[in-house]
Amino acid sequence: MSFRFYKLLTCPEGRMKDTYIKKFDSVYGSEDSYYGIELRSEFTDYFKEKNINGFCALDLGCGEGRYSLFLAQKGCHVFSADRSSAGIRKLKTTAEMHHLPIRAEVIDIENFVFEENRFDIIIAATVLDHLYGQLRQTTINGIKKSLKPGGILYVNVFTVSDPGYKAKISAASQSSPENISDTAECMEYYFEENELKGVFGNLNILYYYEGVELDVSHGRPHDHGWACLLAEKPAETV
Ligand SMILES: C[S@@+](CC[C@H](N)C(=O)[O-])C[C@H]1O[C@@H](n2cnc3c(N)ncnc32)[C@H](O)[C@@H]1O
């Protein structure tokens, strides 16, 4: 498949949107957590000792809500948004069962209203790479706007080092390689080297990592090219 044809297939007009939603509804349909419950260590290492009781958090593209659940267990009030109704249903059930302060809603990020200085913590874990160009940019701007001064942002995305990217731009990709994720078909974009750091460059970067890692949490073992960022919005100067 040529790169140009791939771009046409993933056009922003949303020709593939229903397919992507169905794919996530289907993978979240089983009783187990599709991506597992483990979180990346840079996230847990940062938050485990922090007192975030009563903080207000946003988990964008929360899926089944593993990041939301961690924050809510630490007393954070979490707003969790995803366009997969199966993911949101599962998260609501878990949150109710454990009496956790999570408000989970089926929302397409296209329709999400980013209020200014609203959240102490924002999480966007492997979701910016699921958004087409213009929506990705407005979401990045929205995240920066909605994070309170002094607030913490955690983002991770897949990069051009991901085998899914290499397969999609390669004309030989029709023979599906063994080491790509089974949800790679829903990816709109793979970040360039250091791109994630660049787009949030006006925040104080606390942690940044890029690398390729083996993922055994779902489907057959496969690799992922990661970029992961923890950053703090500078306090307002008066
Ligand atoms: C790879 S999953 C990550 C889920 C979760 N953040 C995690 O790490 O477990 C990507 C998620 O983004 C959601 N998503 C993709 N595009 C979206 C959009 N435009 N609006 C809302 N959710 C979206 C998908 O439904 C899916 O649940």
Side-chain angles (χ1 to χ4, degrees):
M1 191 188 297
S2 73
F3 182 62
R4 196 161 163 267
F5 187 48
Y6 162 60
K7 280 285 167 202
L8 284 174
L9 277 180
T10 57
C11 65
E13 286 70 39
R15 207 151 65 88
M16 299 298 287
K17 185 167 154 177
D18 287 349
T19 313
Y20 297 163
I21 294 173
K22 275 189 195 136
K23 175 75 185 180
F24 279 107
D25 278 345
S26 127
V27 300
Y28 295 150
S30 72
E31 250 179 55
D32 295 338
S33 295
Y34 182 67
Y35 290 113
I37 50 164
E38 255 185 63
L39 306 175
R40 290 194 56 89
S41 60
E42 66 270 5
F43 175 86
T44 46
D45 286 351
Y46 181 80
F47 282 108
K48 72 182 173 206
E49 302 301 341
K50 293 263 182 292
N51 180 1
I52 53 171
N53 190 32
F55 278 32
C56 202
L58 170 66
D59 186 1
L60 263 189
C62 62
E64 299 164 303
R66 53 185 168 161
Y67 286 89
S68 302
L69 291 165
F70 176 93
L71 293 175
Q73 273 156 4
K74 288 186 65 69
C76 218
H77 296 265
V78 189
F79 186 87
S80 314
D82 200 286
R83 67 181 178 186
S84 162
S85 49
I88 293 297
R89 205 178 308 123
K90 219 165 175 179
L91 176 55
K92 275 186 169 166
T93 306
T94 315
E96 277 162 21
M97 198 188 307
H98 299 284
H99 308 287
L100 292 170
I102 294 177
R103 181 172 151 207
E105 286 190 16
V106 178
I107 299 179
D108 193 311
I109 291 168
E110 277 182 347
N111 305 318
F112 189 81
V113 178
F114 289 94
E115 291 171 42
E116 195 161 0
N117 298 343
R118 169 91 171 72
F119 296 102
D120 301 292
I121 299 169
I122 297 183
I123 311 299
T126 47
V127 65
L128 291 179
D129 40 18
H130 285 260
L131 308 179
Y132 64 83
Q134 198 193 326
L135 178 59
R136 190 170 59 254
Q137 194 50 57
T138 54
T139 304
I140 288 166
N141 296 342
I143 287 173
K144 291 178 191 173
K145 175 180 165 191
S146 226
L147 194 60
K148 286 182 187 171
I152 299 293
L153 171 66
Y154 178 66
V155 184
N156 61 43
V157 293
F158 295 145
T159 68
V160 291
S161 300
D162 194 287
Y165 173 74
K166 291 174 184 162
K168 273 185 165 164
I169 60 161
S170 154
S173 68
Q174 299 191 10
S175 55
S176 73
E178 288 302 304
N179 66 336
I180 68 168
S181 165
D182 43 9
T183 47
E185 68 199 63
C186 303
M187 296 292 293
E188 283 286 352
Y189 184 72
Y190 291 88
F191 279 66
E192 300 288 338
E193 196 179 322
N194 285 322
E195 185 180 351
L196 184 65
K197 188 160 51 172
V199 295
F200 290 108
N202 58 338
L203 306 185
N204 298 328
I205 295 180
L206 306 173
Y207 172 90
Y208 191 73
Y209 162 81
E210 287 188 9
V212 178
E213 294 173 14
L214 180 68
D215 184 347
V216 291
S217 69
H218 62 105
R220 57 182 179 252
H222 54 279
D223 289 328
H224 273 308
W226 287 99
C228 309
L229 169 142
L230 255 170
E232 182 180 27
K233 184 165 169 177
E236 264 169 344
T237 47
V238 275

